[in-house]
Amino acid sequence: MNCETAERQIKNIIATNKKSDVLQKVVDFLCDNFTHYSWVGIYMVEGNDLILGHWKGPNATEHTKIPIGKGVCGSAAASGKTEIVADVNSDSRYLSCFISTKSEIVVPIKKNNIVIGEIDIDSDKPSAFDKKDKLFLEKIADTISILIS
Ligand code: SME
């Protein structure tokens, strides 16, 4: 699916669903419609940790609580910058969740320039994520930020 269509459909999901259902539906939509998104999750900042909230993928992760600063997720939360890891096995920060994962993107969700959460996506394909994914997911992160009070 192209990103413009996906953005439109996600806006539609937000407009037509109960607020309590929206985040899970957005996660499901991303996982179901982008073949290179193998596992999609949203972590929220709680104190000094990231806590896994809504997710979709073939398996649950053991990393449901990640200290800010640890792993690729914790690095993105600490810097406030999107992380793209083309080869997870050559990144020493990487916390392994699934043996099948080859690459990863982590996109901070910010409110007033403060990181309040992030979108984490694993791919079974190497080098799966590019600038298009980054720009698209940063827009989705902004949309999610507006939803979350
Ligand atoms: N790989 C992440 C941990 C989360 S799992 O990918 C779901 C990391 O290095 O922070």
Side-chain angles (χ1 to χ4, degrees):
M1 173 176 288
N2 76 49
C3 296
E4 291 73 27
T5 307
E7 269 177 60
R8 260 204 317 280
Q9 294 203 13
I10 287 173
K11 285 200 174 121
N12 190 48
I13 290 171
I14 292 166
T16 57
N17 285 279
K18 280 194 295 182
K19 200 175 170 187
S20 56
D21 295 341
V22 163
L23 287 184
Q24 185 62 49
K25 288 196 185 276
V26 170
V27 163
D28 293 348
F29 177 86
L30 292 172
C31 199
D32 293 343
N33 289 283
F34 290 85
T35 48
H36 60 304
Y37 295 2
S38 306
W39 187 96
V40 179
I42 295 178
Y43 286 87
M44 295 307 297
V45 172
E46 287 186 25
N48 294 321
D49 297 306
L50 290 158
I51 306 293
L52 182 62
H54 303 279
W55 63 273
K56 174 142 191 209
N59 295 107
T61 174
E62 63 182 280
H63 295 294
T64 54
K65 181 175 174 176
I66 301 172
I68 291 175
K70 296 266 185 259
V72 180
C73 287
S75 296
S79 70
K81 300 233 181 338
T82 295
E83 289 280 351
I84 293 179
V85 179
D87 173 11
V88 291
N89 293 314
S90 60
D91 192 316
S92 59
R93 300 168 303 171
Y94 177 64
L95 300 170
S96 175
C97 292
F98 317 111
I99 195 83
S100 55
T101 299
K102 300 286 190 297
S103 56
E104 180 169 16
I105 186 168
V106 182
V107 180
I109 300 168
K110 295 186 231 177
K111 207 170 203 63
N112 302 325
N113 233 22
I114 292 169
V115 178
I116 58 167
E118 57 191 33
I119 304 169
D120 175 28
I121 304 183
D122 283 26
S123 183
D124 293 351
K125 292 182 191 143
S127 305
F129 304 105
D130 60 15
K131 204 173 165 196
K132 245 171 67 182
D133 297 284
K134 178 178 185 283
L135 292 176
F136 165 63
L137 292 166
E138 286 174 351
K139 279 193 199 163
I140 302 306
D142 286 345
T143 306
I144 290 173
S145 164
I146 293 164
L147 273 173
I148 300 168
S149 49

